[in-house]
Amino acid sequence: MTQTNIETAKKLGLNEAEFQKICDYLGRIPNFTELSIYSVMWSEHCSYKNSIIYLKKLPRKGSKLLVEAGEENAGLVDIGDGLACAFKIESHNHPSAIEPYQGAATGVGGIHRDIFTMGARPIAALNSLRFGNIELDHTKFLMKGVVKGIGNYGNAFGVPTVGGEVYFNNCYNQNILVNAMSVGIVNVGETVSACADGPGNPVFIVGSSTGKDGIHGATFASADLNENSAADLPAVQVGDPFQEKLLLEASLEAIRSGQIVGMQDMGAAGITCSTSEMSAKSKTGMRIQLEKVPTRQSNMQAWEILLSESQERMLIVAKKGGEDILLKIFSKWDLECVQIGEVTDTGRIEYFMNGKLEADVPADSLVLGGGAPIYQREFSRPSYFDEIEAFNPNSIHEPSDLIEVAKRLTASPNIASKKWIFEQYDKMVRIGTLTSVKQSDASVVRVPGTNKGLAMTVDCNSAYVFLDPYQGGMIAVSEAARNIICSGGVPVAITNCLNFGNPYNPEVYFQFVNALKGMGEACEAFGTPVTGGNVSFYNQSQFQDKTEPIYPTPTIGMLGVFDDLNDFMTIDFKNLGDHIVLLGHQNNHIGYSEYLSEIHKIKYAPVPYFNLNEEKKLHNTIHECIVKRIVKSAHDVSEGGIFISLLESSFASQLGFAVQIPAQFRKDVFLFGESQGRVIVTVSNEQLSQLESLCLQNGIDCLLLGNVAPSELIVNNSCFGTIAEFGQLYYESIQNSINE
């Protein structure tokens, strides 16, 4: 071992101990290609070396799960009638921060491939986006690129983008977040595993040719952004949605042919990852001839071919003897399908180039659960907690003009309509999206050929997680479940995208550990096990002497099911005179909210009131109200509080409201506070007593607020304005900011 070898390893992101571990596995000093292989496979992005200890503590078992977390490319849930749903969420943060259009587009393409490599047809997409200050030109540039990338790729691929969330905060000024989720349908028993069973079986690469785009993309995703990150632009892949559409159809047809043993998308670390993970899973090996890999550029070196993350590629292990069938299928779809190797029984991956052995490594030594390193990092209480504890609620004085407050909040970036964004997405393709016409707290899609439905949502208020990682983690899961429940669905499982700063920062790791603890407890309470997802560390920006981590953002992608779509519930008021009722615990708690942030400029305050047991009881009650047809509408109270929830129901129906604030509550806190575990429902006069009896029986607070009214918005007999007046603020604010 020489200092030169160690320095080379460090440049590739490996530390000295890891270099020694590689030498021990190989029984010799690795060459540059082998070092490059370990550098990508042992990166955080591929190995989860700094997070796997805590990921394993999340609930991973459930009666409806067909595979456990980490077993396959995506989670798989039984939805009845012989059908299963495959779903997953992943990040493409750093590529999107450097090259927003291609970064976001290839994020969408990659997550869809994870779904159809299992044999499922994607039927819906969602996304969770975080941007910086919307007034900055850089933020506008990134927003335009990301939204265009998501829209152009998804629309061309032909899968509707049915939902999502968008938040703005200064902590994302440089390091934006782009999390993409895909949901697909497959018949139970017709899925394909990412395995490499059967020594002697041929190994094929299919889809696009391999180029130099995306080389060391996994390493790039496992490092901080800084002033020189733009120089890593070649690490950003280039996508082709039309090629991916062909790959989808060809892959599903190939699976139906019965000639597929195993298949895996080539995402992070490209050929390296798919060959090693598939081999390790089956305890086999592979002999790969790299010169047979179709390339877009001449004279590519072995390590470049191995590490390229060029898009729209798959690795397939086929049944020996069925090669011609496979070749005909991919030829029909005008796609390259080339045998590049075969499965062996050695347990090693041998990469040859024109007869020369370029790398020879044990497959198991590369992967999570095998030889990849596992670390427990130090963590400590964040110092900014002192400022939270110093918050004095008595210092928050009630404004004299609540109408002006309501208008400012309605137009604020985190509350205003994201119409400018979602109108660039096609949510009507395949005509299965119920929420393309009617608004609901979750996105709802019909399962083709049935009266079953899927409810899906992505949720995380990262400010809550920043202020209290444990409570914030629970709230993220709870809000997702509440949205599913209010749509009429039943939550069944989650996928997650865990976006955090540098794990070597003890305060960041404290956020990570405690957020996962809160998430896990909430998942246990709601019976929603974790099916998989990804961890995205190193989301922080280093500029000059300042390092700023993002807010901890554990995005929750939750799936719910409808056995009967007649239970579908929307947020819109239905009839003039219907009673407006608030369900859930009522209090004068002054916790963090958009109201405190926007109006009082408060950054540090305790999280809003939250009680997990009360939340669970509320969900059960709402579900019972919906299936028994007691309520006419349901909408949860979240950012902006009760007033914004009422306002959104008014926008959806063009009917107004007349409500009264009980005397025991502060008016500003009652209208704009964000205490959790509350839902606003409407009910006819004939069924009001039934609702009240059910709430009394279940121990749920039930407060009559007022009634559905014509177009005016009335609070305590004062007219705050009209639907049209507030609609202009709500629907035009984001677009006006972008165009300034």
Side-chain angles (χ1 to χ4, degrees), residues 596-608:
L596 281 192
S597 176
E598 283 288 320
I599 306 304
H600 295 280
K601 306 304 177 186
I602 298 293
K603 179 180 178 181
Y604 299 100
V607 293

Side-chain angles (χ1 to χ4, degrees), residues 563-701:
D563 288 328
D564 183 354
L565 275 173
N566 290 320
D567 292 337
F568 175 49
M569 178 57 63
T570 57
I571 73 170
D572 52 305
F573 296 143
K574 301 299 189 299
N575 307 298
L576 285 171
D578 279 351
H579 297 289
I580 300 173
V581 183
L582 179 64
L583 305 185
H585 183 73
Q586 309 307 317
N587 55 63
N588 268 314
H589 183 264
I590 302 179
Y592 180 87
S593 63
E594 287 298 314
Y595 166 62
L596 281 192
S597 176
E598 283 288 320
I599 306 304
H600 295 280
K601 306 304 177 186
I602 298 293
K603 179 180 178 181
Y604 299 100
V607 293
Y609 175 87
F610 173 77
N611 182 290
L612 185 58
N613 291 329
E614 290 175 3
E615 185 88 42
K616 187 176 179 180
K617 287 196 299 181
L618 174 69
H619 293 194
N620 293 336
T621 302
I622 294 295
H623 180 68
E624 191 172 352
C625 286
I626 291 173
V627 298
K628 289 183 176 179
R629 310 291 188 264
I630 296 173
V631 297
K632 304 291 185 184
S633 69
H635 190 18
D636 83 316
V637 177
S638 56
E639 286 85 10
I642 287 172
F643 181 83
I644 297 299
S645 182
L646 291 169
L647 190 61
E648 289 171 343
S649 293
S650 287
F651 290 149
S653 62
Q654 291 302 298
L655 293 173
F657 55 81
V659 298
Q660 292 287 326
I661 301 174
Q664 68 268 32
F665 296 112
R666 271 186 57 157
K667 295 181 180 64
D668 59 337
V669 175
F670 186 84
L671 287 178
F672 311 119
E674 296 177 11
S675 289
Q676 299 294 293
R678 298 183 298 167
V679 172
I680 291 175
V681 300
T682 54
V683 60
S684 67
N685 190 56
E686 293 76 18
Q687 292 185 292
L688 177 61
S689 60
Q690 188 179 357
L691 174 64
E692 291 173 332
S693 296
L694 181 62
C695 289
L696 181 63
Q697 175 185 326
N698 291 350
I700 296 296
D701 288 349

Side-chain angles (χ1 to χ4, degrees), residues 6-196:
I6 295 172
E7 290 303 318
T8 301
K10 287 181 178 179
K11 288 179 181 178
L12 292 173
L14 297 162
N15 61 40
E16 190 167 343
E18 289 170 343
F19 179 80
Q20 181 59 58
K21 194 171 186 178
I22 294 167
C23 293
D24 293 341
Y25 278 131
L26 298 181
R28 55 179 169 79
I29 294 175
N31 62 35
F32 178 78
T33 299
E34 291 165 336
L35 265 183
S36 296
I37 289 170
Y38 278 100
S39 77
V40 292
M41 291 305 298
W42 285 7
S43 68
E44 181 66 35
H45 193 72
C46 290
S47 74
Y48 298 145
K49 59 188 177 184
N50 291 309
S51 55
I52 189 61
I53 290 175
Y54 293 97
L55 294 177
K56 286 184 174 180
K57 295 181 180 181
L58 294 170
R60 300 150 64 93
K61 296 182 183 294
S63 60
K64 292 185 180 295
L65 295 193
L66 297 175
V67 299
E68 287 189 22
E71 285 188 356
E72 297 295 347
N73 285 331
L76 194 65
V77 173
D78 191 335
I79 60 173
D81 296 338
L83 295 172
C85 177
F87 71 113
K88 187 181 183 182
I89 189 169
E90 281 200 341
S91 63
H92 230 223
N93 301 334
H94 285 183
S96 300
I98 300 299
E99 210 300 298
Y101 179 85
Q102 290 293 352
T106 52
V108 172
I111 195 64
H112 283 317
R113 284 196 304 281
D114 278 339
I115 299 303
F116 69 75
T117 50
M118 292 184 67
R121 179 177 291 278
I123 63 169
L126 302 92
N127 54 72
S128 174
L129 310 177
R130 298 293 190 283
F131 297 107
N133 187 333
I134 197 172
E135 296 178 1
L136 298 177
D137 288 341
H138 185 60
T139 297
K140 296 173 187 178
F141 164 75
L142 293 173
M143 276 186 70
K144 290 176 181 177
V146 165
V147 173
K148 189 175 182 181
I150 292 171
N152 285 3
Y153 200 104
N155 297 351
F157 184 57
V159 173
T161 301
V162 300
E165 61 170 3
V166 184
Y167 285 88
F168 300 89
N169 190 285
N170 287 338
C171 71
Y172 306 108
N173 278 345
Q174 302 295 339
N175 202 133
I176 63 174
L177 301 184
V178 176
N179 297 174
M181 179 173 170
S182 179
V183 179
I185 297 293
V186 63
N187 291 326
V188 174
E190 295 184 7
T191 53
V192 170
S193 180
C195 65

Side-chain angles (χ1 to χ4, degrees), residues 33 37 269-273 290 301-308 351 359:
T33 299
I37 289 170
I271 292 174
T272 299
C273 187
L290 294 174
Q301 297 183 55
W303 67 271
E304 293 176 315
I305 295 172
L306 282 171
L307 271 58
S308 168
Y351 299 108

Side-chain angles (χ1 to χ4, degrees), residues 478-490:
S478 299
E479 183 180 3
R482 194 162 66 240
N483 284 331
I484 299 286
I485 286 288
C486 286
S487 75
V490 176

